[in-house]
Amino acid sequence: MPKRIAIIAHDGKKAELVEWARRERERLARHHLVATATTGRTLQEALGLEVACVRSGPQGGDAQIAAMVVEGRIDAVIFLVDPLYAHPHEPDIRTVMRLCNVHNVPLATNLATASMVLRGLEEG
């Protein structure tokens, strides 16, 4: 059964995300993907994946995904945060992470964990 996976990647992590998504393309294609605008377009262009896009992170996309988590419309979140860069929308980033914990939604913040979450969704 397809799951709903939200994907967010800061600019410094998009290239890594694309390489990971190439390896995991078959698995990702079996699920419903939602992403912030630039991340979603990047995945669509690089891999031809179908991705529903919300706004970009700084324009409220992180908050939109957080709301979807609260509403039970997301089964897992892959959120590749660039830890070496200060983000002006840091409160939204923390909100997504906090709400994943509050609502028991798996949250991957690095690619090793993202692969484990993706495999776990298929087994569950």
Side-chain angles (χ1 to χ4, degrees):
M1 179 161 172
K3 300 293 184 182
R4 299 156 301 185
I5 303 171
I7 303 175
I8 307 166
H10 289 150
D11 290 342
K13 295 292 183 173
K14 282 185 178 40
E16 291 176 47
L17 174 68
V18 167
E19 288 309 309
W20 171 81
R22 281 189 209 288
R23 293 189 303 272
E24 298 287 359
R25 188 187 187 294
E26 186 177 318
R27 280 191 174 95
L28 288 168
R30 291 192 287 254
H31 299 287
H32 301 289
L33 306 178
V34 177
T36 49
T38 309
T39 299
R41 281 193 305 271
T42 299
L43 290 172
Q44 289 170 335
E45 291 170 9
L47 303 168
L49 289 170
E50 186 175 325
V51 182
C53 295
V54 297
R55 293 184 179 266
S56 70
Q59 294 180 354
D62 297 343
Q64 286 179 289
I65 288 176
M68 294 169 83
V69 167
V70 171
E71 295 165 354
R73 296 172 38 210
I74 296 293
D75 298 303
V77 176
I78 297 169
F79 195 162
L80 303 183
V81 178
D82 186 348
L84 302 177
Y85 176 74
H87 302 282
H89 58 289
E90 186 70 32
D92 293 339
I93 295 167
R94 278 188 257 140
T95 297
V96 171
M97 294 178 175
R98 183 177 64 79
L99 291 172
C100 284
N101 286 323
V102 167
H103 294 279
N104 201 33
V105 171
L107 169 67
T109 58
N110 61 60
L111 295 176
T113 307
S115 291
M116 294 176 80
V117 166
L118 194 54
R119 287 180 183 94
L121 288 173
E122 291 188 341
E123 292 173 8

Short mmCIF file of all heavy atoms in Angstrom, two decimals, residues 33-92:
data_model
loop_
_atom_site.label_atom_id
_atom_site.label_comp_id
_atom_site.label_asym_id
_atom_site.label_seq_id
_atom_site.Cartn_x
_atom_site.Cartn_y
_atom_site.Cartn_z
N LEU A 33 4.52 11.17 -3.07
CA LEU A 33 5.55 12.08 -2.60
C LEU A 33 5.02 13.51 -2.56
O LEU A 33 4.35 13.95 -3.49
CB LEU A 33 6.78 12.01 -3.50
CG LEU A 33 7.39 10.63 -3.71
CD1 LEU A 33 8.58 10.71 -4.66
CD2 LEU A 33 7.80 9.99 -2.39
N VAL A 34 5.35 14.20 -1.47
CA VAL A 34 5.04 15.61 -1.30
C VAL A 34 6.36 16.27 -0.95
O VAL A 34 7.13 15.73 -0.16
CB VAL A 34 4.03 15.84 -0.16
CG1 VAL A 34 3.78 17.31 0.06
CG2 VAL A 34 2.74 15.10 -0.40
N ALA A 35 6.63 17.42 -1.53
CA ALA A 35 7.90 18.09 -1.24
C ALA A 35 7.72 19.60 -1.27
O ALA A 35 6.77 20.11 -1.87
CB ALA A 35 8.96 17.68 -2.25
N THR A 36 8.66 20.28 -0.64
CA THR A 36 8.70 21.72 -0.79
C THR A 36 9.06 22.02 -2.25
O THR A 36 9.60 21.17 -2.95
CB THR A 36 9.71 22.34 0.19
OG1 THR A 36 10.94 21.64 0.10
CG2 THR A 36 9.19 22.29 1.62
N ALA A 37 8.73 23.21 -2.70
CA ALA A 37 8.75 23.54 -4.14
C ALA A 37 10.05 23.21 -4.86
O ALA A 37 10.04 22.47 -5.85
CB ALA A 37 8.41 25.01 -4.32
N THR A 38 11.15 23.74 -4.41
CA THR A 38 12.41 23.53 -5.13
C THR A 38 12.85 22.08 -5.05
O THR A 38 13.32 21.51 -6.04
CB THR A 38 13.51 24.47 -4.59
OG1 THR A 38 13.00 25.80 -4.57
CG2 THR A 38 14.74 24.43 -5.47
N THR A 39 12.69 21.47 -3.90
CA THR A 39 13.05 20.06 -3.74
C THR A 39 12.21 19.19 -4.66
O THR A 39 12.71 18.30 -5.34
CB THR A 39 12.88 19.62 -2.27
OG1 THR A 39 13.73 20.41 -1.44
CG2 THR A 39 13.21 18.15 -2.09
N GLY A 40 10.92 19.46 -4.71
CA GLY A 40 10.03 18.68 -5.56
C GLY A 40 10.36 18.83 -7.04
O GLY A 40 10.43 17.84 -7.77
N ARG A 41 10.60 20.06 -7.46
CA ARG A 41 10.97 20.28 -8.87
C ARG A 41 12.29 19.60 -9.20
O ARG A 41 12.46 19.04 -10.29
CB ARG A 41 11.03 21.77 -9.18
CG ARG A 41 9.66 22.39 -9.40
CD ARG A 41 9.75 23.78 -10.03
NE ARG A 41 10.59 24.69 -9.26
CZ ARG A 41 10.16 25.48 -8.27
NH1 ARG A 41 8.88 25.45 -7.93
NH2 ARG A 41 10.97 26.29 -7.65
N THR A 42 13.22 19.63 -8.27
CA THR A 42 14.51 18.98 -8.49
C THR A 42 14.32 17.48 -8.70
O THR A 42 14.91 16.90 -9.62
CB THR A 42 15.44 19.24 -7.28
OG1 THR A 42 15.66 20.65 -7.16
CG2 THR A 42 16.77 18.53 -7.45
N LEU A 43 13.50 16.85 -7.89
CA LEU A 43 13.25 15.41 -8.03
C LEU A 43 12.50 15.10 -9.32
O LEU A 43 12.78 14.11 -9.99
CB LEU A 43 12.48 14.88 -6.81
CG LEU A 43 13.26 14.83 -5.51
CD1 LEU A 43 12.34 14.49 -4.35
CD2 LEU A 43 14.42 13.84 -5.60
N GLN A 44 11.55 15.95 -9.67
CA GLN A 44 10.80 15.75 -10.91
C GLN A 44 11.73 15.83 -12.13
O GLN A 44 11.68 14.98 -13.01
CB GLN A 44 9.70 16.81 -11.04
CG GLN A 44 8.55 16.61 -10.09
CD GLN A 44 7.60 17.80 -10.06
OE1 GLN A 44 7.97 18.92 -10.38
NE2 GLN A 44 6.36 17.56 -9.65
N GLU A 45 12.57 16.85 -12.15
CA GLU A 45 13.44 17.06 -13.31
C GLU A 45 14.55 16.01 -13.39
O GLU A 45 14.86 15.52 -14.47
CB GLU A 45 14.05 18.46 -13.25
CG GLU A 45 13.01 19.55 -13.49
CD GLU A 45 13.54 20.95 -13.21
OE1 GLU A 45 14.77 21.11 -12.97
OE2 GLU A 45 12.73 21.89 -13.21
N ALA A 46 15.15 15.67 -12.27
CA ALA A 46 16.29 14.75 -12.28
C ALA A 46 15.87 13.30 -12.49
O ALA A 46 16.59 12.53 -13.12
CB ALA A 46 17.08 14.88 -10.97
N LEU A 47 14.69 12.93 -11.96
CA LEU A 47 14.31 11.51 -11.96
C LEU A 47 12.96 11.22 -12.58
O LEU A 47 12.57 10.07 -12.69
CB LEU A 47 14.33 10.97 -10.52
CG LEU A 47 15.66 11.13 -9.81
CD1 LEU A 47 15.51 10.84 -8.34
CD2 LEU A 47 16.71 10.24 -10.42
N GLY A 48 12.22 12.26 -12.92
CA GLY A 48 10.90 12.03 -13.50
C GLY A 48 9.89 11.50 -12.51
O GLY A 48 8.89 10.91 -12.90
N LEU A 49 10.14 11.69 -11.22
CA LEU A 49 9.19 11.24 -10.20
C LEU A 49 8.00 12.18 -10.13
O LEU A 49 8.13 13.38 -10.33
CB LEU A 49 9.87 11.18 -8.83
CG LEU A 49 10.90 10.08 -8.63
CD1 LEU A 49 11.66 10.30 -7.33
CD2 LEU A 49 10.24 8.72 -8.64
N GLU A 50 6.85 11.62 -9.82
CA GLU A 50 5.65 12.44 -9.61
C GLU A 50 5.69 12.95 -8.17
O GLU A 50 5.74 12.16 -7.23
CB GLU A 50 4.40 11.60 -9.84
CG GLU A 50 3.14 12.42 -9.77
CD GLU A 50 1.91 11.60 -10.14
OE1 GLU A 50 2.02 10.72 -11.01
OE2 GLU A 50 0.86 11.85 -9.53
N VAL A 51 5.69 14.26 -8.02
CA VAL A 51 5.81 14.88 -6.70
C VAL A 51 4.80 16.02 -6.60
O VAL A 51 4.78 16.91 -7.46
CB VAL A 51 7.23 15.44 -6.47
CG1 VAL A 51 7.35 16.03 -5.06
CG2 VAL A 51 8.30 14.37 -6.69
N ALA A 52 3.98 16.00 -5.57
CA ALA A 52 3.09 17.12 -5.29
C ALA A 52 3.91 18.16 -4.53
O ALA A 52 4.58 17.84 -3.56
CB ALA A 52 1.91 16.66 -4.44
N CYS A 53 3.88 19.39 -5.00
CA CYS A 53 4.71 20.43 -4.39
C CYS A 53 3.88 21.42 -3.58
O CYS A 53 2.81 21.83 -4.02
CB CYS A 53 5.49 21.18 -5.47
SG CYS A 53 6.70 20.17 -6.33
N VAL A 54 4.41 21.78 -2.43
CA VAL A 54 3.87 22.87 -1.62
C VAL A 54 4.81 24.06 -1.83
O VAL A 54 5.70 24.00 -2.68
CB VAL A 54 3.74 22.47 -0.14
CG1 VAL A 54 2.75 21.32 0.03
CG2 VAL A 54 5.09 22.11 0.47
N ARG A 55 4.66 25.10 -1.08
CA ARG A 55 5.54 26.27 -1.23
C ARG A 55 6.98 25.92 -0.85
O ARG A 55 7.22 24.91 -0.21
CB ARG A 55 5.04 27.41 -0.35
CG ARG A 55 3.72 27.96 -0.80
CD ARG A 55 3.34 29.15 0.08
NE ARG A 55 2.08 29.72 -0.36
CZ ARG A 55 2.00 30.73 -1.22
NH1 ARG A 55 3.07 31.27 -1.73
NH2 ARG A 55 0.81 31.19 -1.57
N SER A 56 7.90 26.80 -1.18
CA SER A 56 9.28 26.59 -0.75
C SER A 56 9.34 26.75 0.77
O SER A 56 8.45 27.37 1.38
CB SER A 56 10.22 27.58 -1.43
OG SER A 56 10.01 28.88 -0.94
N GLY A 57 10.38 26.19 1.38
CA GLY A 57 10.50 26.24 2.83
C GLY A 57 10.41 27.64 3.41
O GLY A 57 9.58 27.90 4.29
N PRO A 58 11.23 28.59 2.93
CA PRO A 58 11.18 29.93 3.49
C PRO A 58 9.85 30.65 3.27
O PRO A 58 9.52 31.59 3.97
CB PRO A 58 12.31 30.66 2.75
CG PRO A 58 13.23 29.60 2.30
CD PRO A 58 12.35 28.41 2.01
N GLN A 59 9.06 30.19 2.29
CA GLN A 59 7.77 30.82 2.01
C GLN A 59 6.61 30.08 2.67
O GLN A 59 5.45 30.30 2.33
CB GLN A 59 7.55 30.92 0.51
CG GLN A 59 8.52 31.84 -0.16
CD GLN A 59 8.30 31.92 -1.66
OE1 GLN A 59 7.48 31.20 -2.22
NE2 GLN A 59 9.04 32.79 -2.31
N GLY A 60 6.91 29.16 3.60
CA GLY A 60 5.86 28.48 4.34
C GLY A 60 5.70 27.01 4.02
O GLY A 60 4.82 26.35 4.59
N GLY A 61 6.50 26.46 3.12
CA GLY A 61 6.37 25.05 2.76
C GLY A 61 6.62 24.11 3.92
O GLY A 61 5.93 23.09 4.06
N ASP A 62 7.60 24.43 4.76
CA ASP A 62 7.85 23.60 5.94
C ASP A 62 6.61 23.59 6.84
O ASP A 62 6.21 22.53 7.35
CB ASP A 62 9.05 24.12 6.74
CG ASP A 62 10.37 24.06 5.97
OD1 ASP A 62 10.44 23.35 4.95
OD2 ASP A 62 11.32 24.73 6.40
N ALA A 63 6.00 24.75 7.00
CA ALA A 63 4.79 24.85 7.84
C ALA A 63 3.63 24.08 7.21
O ALA A 63 2.84 23.45 7.92
CB ALA A 63 4.42 26.32 8.04
N GLN A 64 3.53 24.10 5.87
CA GLN A 64 2.47 23.34 5.21
C GLN A 64 2.66 21.84 5.47
O GLN A 64 1.68 21.13 5.74
CB GLN A 64 2.49 23.60 3.70
CG GLN A 64 1.94 24.95 3.31
CD GLN A 64 2.01 25.16 1.81
OE1 GLN A 64 3.09 25.33 1.24
NE2 GLN A 64 0.85 25.13 1.17
N ILE A 65 3.87 21.38 5.38
CA ILE A 65 4.13 19.96 5.64
C ILE A 65 3.87 19.64 7.11
O ILE A 65 3.29 18.60 7.43
CB ILE A 65 5.54 19.57 5.18
CG1 ILE A 65 5.55 19.54 3.64
CG2 ILE A 65 5.97 18.22 5.77
CD1 ILE A 65 6.86 19.26 2.99
N ALA A 66 4.24 20.54 8.01
CA ALA A 66 3.95 20.34 9.43
C ALA A 66 2.45 20.19 9.65
O ALA A 66 2.00 19.31 10.40
CB ALA A 66 4.51 21.49 10.26
N ALA A 67 1.65 21.01 8.98
CA ALA A 67 0.19 20.92 9.11
C ALA A 67 -0.31 19.57 8.58
O ALA A 67 -1.22 18.96 9.18
CB ALA A 67 -0.48 22.06 8.36
N MET A 68 0.27 19.09 7.50
CA MET A 68 -0.13 17.79 6.95
C MET A 68 0.20 16.66 7.93
O MET A 68 -0.56 15.69 8.03
CB MET A 68 0.55 17.56 5.60
CG MET A 68 0.09 18.54 4.53
SD MET A 68 1.10 18.49 3.04
CE MET A 68 0.34 17.11 2.22
N VAL A 69 1.31 16.79 8.65
CA VAL A 69 1.66 15.80 9.67
C VAL A 69 0.58 15.79 10.75
O VAL A 69 0.08 14.73 11.14
CB VAL A 69 3.06 16.10 10.29
CG1 VAL A 69 3.29 15.30 11.56
CG2 VAL A 69 4.16 15.83 9.26
N VAL A 70 0.18 16.97 11.22
CA VAL A 70 -0.84 17.09 12.26
C VAL A 70 -2.17 16.50 11.79
O VAL A 70 -2.87 15.83 12.55
CB VAL A 70 -1.03 18.57 12.67
CG1 VAL A 70 -2.25 18.73 13.58
CG2 VAL A 70 0.22 19.09 13.36
N GLU A 71 -2.51 16.70 10.52
CA GLU A 71 -3.77 16.21 9.96
C GLU A 71 -3.74 14.73 9.64
O GLU A 71 -4.75 14.17 9.20
CB GLU A 71 -4.10 17.01 8.69
CG GLU A 71 -4.37 18.47 8.96
CD GLU A 71 -4.33 19.32 7.69
OE1 GLU A 71 -3.97 18.81 6.60
OE2 GLU A 71 -4.64 20.52 7.80
N GLY A 72 -2.60 14.07 9.84
CA GLY A 72 -2.50 12.64 9.55
C GLY A 72 -2.37 12.33 8.08
O GLY A 72 -2.64 11.22 7.64
N ARG A 73 -1.94 13.32 7.29
CA ARG A 73 -1.83 13.15 5.84
C ARG A 73 -0.42 12.80 5.38
O ARG A 73 -0.18 12.68 4.18
CB ARG A 73 -2.32 14.42 5.14
CG ARG A 73 -3.79 14.67 5.40
CD ARG A 73 -4.30 16.01 4.90
NE ARG A 73 -3.74 16.41 3.63
CZ ARG A 73 -3.56 17.68 3.27
NH1 ARG A 73 -3.89 18.66 4.09
NH2 ARG A 73 -3.07 17.97 2.09
N ILE A 74 0.51 12.60 6.32
CA ILE A 74 1.89 12.24 6.00
C ILE A 74 2.28 11.04 6.85
O ILE A 74 2.05 11.03 8.06
CB ILE A 74 2.85 13.43 6.28
CG1 ILE A 74 2.53 14.62 5.37
CG2 ILE A 74 4.32 13.01 6.15
CD1 ILE A 74 2.80 14.39 3.90
N ASP A 75 2.87 10.03 6.22
CA ASP A 75 3.29 8.82 6.93
C ASP A 75 4.76 8.85 7.35
O ASP A 75 5.16 8.12 8.25
CB ASP A 75 3.05 7.59 6.06
CG ASP A 75 1.58 7.40 5.74
OD1 ASP A 75 0.78 7.31 6.71
OD2 ASP A 75 1.21 7.39 4.55
N ALA A 76 5.57 9.67 6.69
CA ALA A 76 6.99 9.79 7.03
C ALA A 76 7.52 11.08 6.43
O ALA A 76 7.00 11.57 5.42
CB ALA A 76 7.78 8.61 6.51
N VAL A 77 8.56 11.63 7.06
CA VAL A 77 9.20 12.85 6.58
C VAL A 77 10.69 12.60 6.41
O VAL A 77 11.33 12.06 7.31
CB VAL A 77 8.98 14.03 7.55
CG1 VAL A 77 9.74 15.28 7.09
CG2 VAL A 77 7.50 14.34 7.71
N ILE A 78 11.21 12.98 5.25
CA ILE A 78 12.64 12.99 5.01
C ILE A 78 13.01 14.46 4.92
O ILE A 78 12.55 15.17 4.02
CB ILE A 78 13.00 12.24 3.71
CG1 ILE A 78 12.62 10.77 3.86
CG2 ILE A 78 14.48 12.41 3.38
CD1 ILE A 78 12.68 9.98 2.57
N PHE A 79 13.79 14.93 5.89
CA PHE A 79 14.10 16.35 6.01
C PHE A 79 15.61 16.50 6.12
O PHE A 79 16.17 16.36 7.20
CB PHE A 79 13.40 16.94 7.23
CG PHE A 79 13.35 18.45 7.26
CD1 PHE A 79 12.45 19.07 8.10
CD2 PHE A 79 14.17 19.24 6.47
CE1 PHE A 79 12.36 20.47 8.15
CE2 PHE A 79 14.10 20.62 6.52
CZ PHE A 79 13.19 21.23 7.36
N LEU A 80 16.26 16.75 4.99
CA LEU A 80 17.71 16.89 4.98
C LEU A 80 18.08 18.34 5.26
O LEU A 80 18.03 19.20 4.39
CB LEU A 80 18.28 16.43 3.64
CG LEU A 80 17.95 15.00 3.25
CD1 LEU A 80 18.63 14.63 1.93
CD2 LEU A 80 18.34 14.02 4.34
N VAL A 81 18.43 18.58 6.50
CA VAL A 81 18.79 19.92 6.96
C VAL A 81 20.29 20.10 6.78
O VAL A 81 21.07 19.21 7.09
CB VAL A 81 18.42 20.09 8.45
CG1 VAL A 81 18.83 21.46 8.96
CG2 VAL A 81 16.93 19.85 8.66
N ASP A 82 20.69 21.25 6.26
CA ASP A 82 22.10 21.57 6.15
C ASP A 82 22.56 22.15 7.49
O ASP A 82 22.24 23.30 7.80
CB ASP A 82 22.33 22.58 5.02
CG ASP A 82 23.79 22.84 4.75
OD1 ASP A 82 24.64 22.44 5.57
OD2 ASP A 82 24.09 23.44 3.70
N PRO A 83 23.29 21.37 8.30
CA PRO A 83 23.66 21.83 9.63
C PRO A 83 24.76 22.89 9.63
O PRO A 83 25.06 23.48 10.66
CB PRO A 83 24.15 20.56 10.33
CG PRO A 83 24.68 19.72 9.21
CD PRO A 83 23.79 20.02 8.02
N LEU A 84 25.34 23.17 8.47
CA LEU A 84 26.44 24.13 8.40
C LEU A 84 25.99 25.50 7.91
O LEU A 84 26.81 26.36 7.62
CB LEU A 84 27.54 23.58 7.47
CG LEU A 84 28.11 22.22 7.89
CD1 LEU A 84 29.13 21.74 6.88
CD2 LEU A 84 28.71 22.29 9.29
N TYR A 85 24.69 25.69 7.82
CA TYR A 85 24.15 26.94 7.31
C TYR A 85 23.03 27.43 8.23
O TYR A 85 22.18 26.64 8.65
CB TYR A 85 23.61 26.71 5.88
CG TYR A 85 22.94 27.90 5.28
CD1 TYR A 85 23.66 28.99 4.83
CD2 TYR A 85 21.55 27.94 5.14
CE1 TYR A 85 23.04 30.10 4.27
CE2 TYR A 85 20.91 29.03 4.57
CZ TYR A 85 21.67 30.10 4.14
OH TYR A 85 21.04 31.19 3.59
N ALA A 86 23.03 28.72 8.53
CA ALA A 86 21.95 29.30 9.34
C ALA A 86 20.73 29.50 8.45
O ALA A 86 20.84 30.01 7.34
CB ALA A 86 22.40 30.63 9.93
N HIS A 87 19.58 29.11 8.95
CA HIS A 87 18.35 29.19 8.16
C HIS A 87 17.41 30.23 8.77
O HIS A 87 17.08 30.16 9.95
CB HIS A 87 17.66 27.82 8.13
CG HIS A 87 18.55 26.75 7.57
ND1 HIS A 87 18.78 26.61 6.24
CD2 HIS A 87 19.29 25.82 8.19
CE1 HIS A 87 19.63 25.61 6.05
NE2 HIS A 87 19.95 25.12 7.22
N PRO A 88 16.95 31.17 7.95
CA PRO A 88 16.07 32.20 8.49
C PRO A 88 14.72 31.65 8.96
O PRO A 88 14.05 32.28 9.77
CB PRO A 88 15.88 33.17 7.31
CG PRO A 88 16.24 32.39 6.10
CD PRO A 88 17.22 31.34 6.54
N HIS A 89 14.33 30.50 8.47
CA HIS A 89 13.05 29.91 8.88
C HIS A 89 13.26 28.75 9.87
O HIS A 89 12.51 27.79 9.89
CB HIS A 89 12.25 29.47 7.65
CG HIS A 89 12.96 28.48 6.77
ND1 HIS A 89 14.03 28.82 6.00
CD2 HIS A 89 12.75 27.17 6.57
CE1 HIS A 89 14.45 27.75 5.35
NE2 HIS A 89 13.69 26.74 5.68
N GLU A 90 14.27 28.90 10.72
CA GLU A 90 14.60 27.88 11.72
C GLU A 90 13.40 27.48 12.59
O GLU A 90 13.22 26.29 12.88
CB GLU A 90 15.75 28.37 12.61
CG GLU A 90 16.26 27.35 13.59
CD GLU A 90 17.00 26.19 12.94
OE1 GLU A 90 17.65 26.39 11.91
OE2 GLU A 90 16.91 25.07 13.49
N PRO A 91 12.54 28.41 12.99
CA PRO A 91 11.37 27.99 13.78
C PRO A 91 10.48 26.98 13.04
O PRO A 91 9.96 26.05 13.65
CB PRO A 91 10.63 29.30 14.05
CG PRO A 91 11.69 30.34 14.00
CD PRO A 91 12.64 29.86 12.92
N ASP A 92 10.32 27.15 11.73
CA ASP A 92 9.51 26.20 10.95
C ASP A 92 10.19 24.84 10.89
O ASP A 92 9.52 23.80 10.94
CB ASP A 92 9.28 26.72 9.53
CG ASP A 92 8.41 27.95 9.48
OD1 ASP A 92 7.67 28.20 10.45
OD2 ASP A 92 8.49 28.68 8.48
#
